[in-house]
Every structure is written in C-alpha cells, then in structure tokens.
Amino acid sequence: VELVDIYRTLADLAGLPQPPDHIQGRSLRRTALYNTPIRNFSLTQYPRCPKSWDRLWDSNCKRITAKQIPIMGYSLRVNGFRFTEWYQWRDNSIHHSMLSLHSSSDTPAKIIATELYQFDETQIDDADAYERQNLAHIAEAQCSVINFRHALRLLITTCQHSPPQELIPPCELEVSRYIANAQICMI
C-alpha cells in the first residue's frame, strides 16, 4: 500500500464520484473489505541536488524548480529488500530519460548509483536496518540487481501510466515476477 492510494480509497469507501484519471493511485476498497491481494512492492522517488559531484549525499533541493534537479532516485521496497537507483534527471522527467530502454534511437538514462540492501524482516533489531551494507556491487547479488532493475524500469516507464483501477494490472504482475526472481537469486 502506498500513500498515493489513500485518496482514491477514501473516495470509493465514502461513495463519492470516481476521481479523474490524472489523480494517481488506486482504490483499495476491495482489499479493505474482502482482504484481496495487493501489490507486493512500493515505489518512492527522491531528488538529489548535490553542491558538488564528489559529495552526492549532500542533497538540498529546496527552493529550486524540477528542471534544476540533476539527480532523481527511485526506490523499490519489497519484503526483505530495498533496491534504489539514482538517475540523471533530464528534461524534467525520468520517464523521458528511460524511454530509450525500449528504443535504440535515444541515449539511455545514465545511472549515477545503484543500491541494494537486504533486511531480515523477522529480526526486530536487524543489523542492516540502517542500510549500511550495499550489496549492489558484489558478484553474488548481480542476478538480483538485474531483476530489480527490470522491475523498477518497467514500473516507472509503463505501469505508472496505466489507468487507475482496483485490480492489479498485468504490468504490475510482470513487475512482481521480476521481484520474485530477484528474491530467489539471493537465497
């Protein structure tokens, strides 16, 4: 469940007219009332505006326009993992930057950094809960990185632009398959 789904869910439960299509999210009424399955991931987006390229963590994007943001991070959180990739933000949109994933005519979106953290969801005080050990660059994690990357890019370029609906759309089912493959790789 993501915060973006709350508006559509509350409007649906209150019997209000369906919000216009440009309002993101989906109603989770069916899930709330009948305990039906929902997506097994959440997506977050976070900008980085470093003052210096050798200090990428020094991020302050206050009082700037979207066109001035140089780096955008997308994070996929699933059971046991967080996968994050930081991309060069071009033309005010990562979607535009990533269109080249499906076309050979454009330059692909430049990956600035990749992060993969594994969590032990059963431990209350998980040793890596603070995301100190980035697994993205170790050989044993490359299968997971590839599958998480496919899931993230599919979610950003295709699934985010599908019409809102209650049921899990086919695009998100494909994302879930990539996620399952990534999780299996790390077993």
Side-chain angles (χ1 to χ4, degrees):
V1 175
E2 295 178 276
L3 195 55
V4 73
D5 298 324
I6 299 297
Y7 178 75
R8 284 188 175 276
T9 302
L10 292 176
D12 194 10
L13 288 170
L16 298 174
Q18 183 174 352
D21 284 346
H22 71 275
I23 303 292
Q24 292 182 343
R26 77 172 49 114
S27 173
L28 300 174
R29 179 186 56 83
R30 186 172 287 163
T31 299
L33 297 177
Y34 308 111
N35 199 25
T36 58
I38 57 174
R39 61 177 87 102
N40 63 345
F41 56 86
S42 65
L43 176 70
T44 57
Q45 178 179 356
Y46 189 78
R48 291 272 184 196
C49 302
K51 294 176 181 153
S52 169
W53 283 94
D54 58 344
R55 294 180 55 179
L56 293 178
W57 65 90
D58 182 16
S59 177
N60 184 357
C61 295
K62 295 178 183 174
R63 297 182 184 93
I64 66 168
T65 66
K67 288 186 177 187
Q68 294 172 308
I69 297 171
I71 302 170
M72 188 63 71
Y74 287 88
S75 190
L76 192 58
R77 180 67 166 95
V78 301
N79 188 27
F81 297 92
R82 178 182 309 282
F83 177 77
T84 304
E85 282 204 312
W86 299 92
Y87 296 96
Q88 182 177 356
W89 185 254
R90 295 185 310 198
D91 297 328
N92 198 21
S93 168
I94 195 68
H95 176 69
H96 173 76
S97 297
M98 286 190 162
L99 286 177
S100 58
L101 297 172
H102 307 291
S103 167
S104 59
S105 61
D106 294 329
T107 306
K110 181 178 180 186
I111 298 172
I112 304 295
T114 302
E115 301 174 46
L116 175 62
Y117 302 99
Q118 187 172 13
F119 309 106
D120 185 348
E121 302 284 353
T122 63
Q123 301 268 335
I124 293 174
D125 52 352
D126 179 8
D128 199 34
Y130 297 106
E131 300 180 351
R132 293 183 181 136
Q133 185 178 1
N134 184 359
L135 305 175
H137 301 290
I138 65 169
E140 295 84 2
Q142 292 314 296
C143 173
S144 290
V145 168
I146 290 167
N147 280 285
F148 278 130
R149 181 173 291 144
H150 283 302
L152 184 64
R153 289 181 176 186
L154 180 63
L155 188 59
I156 294 167
T157 61
T158 307
C159 298
Q160 292 295 81
H161 304 285
S162 59
Q165 51 188 317
E166 277 191 37
L167 301 176
I168 299 173
C171 179
E172 289 189 12
L173 291 175
E174 189 173 348
V175 167
S176 293
R177 282 192 287 276
Y178 280 119
I179 289 169
N181 288 342
Q183 290 169 318
I184 289 170
C185 289
M186 293 296 285
I187 294 177

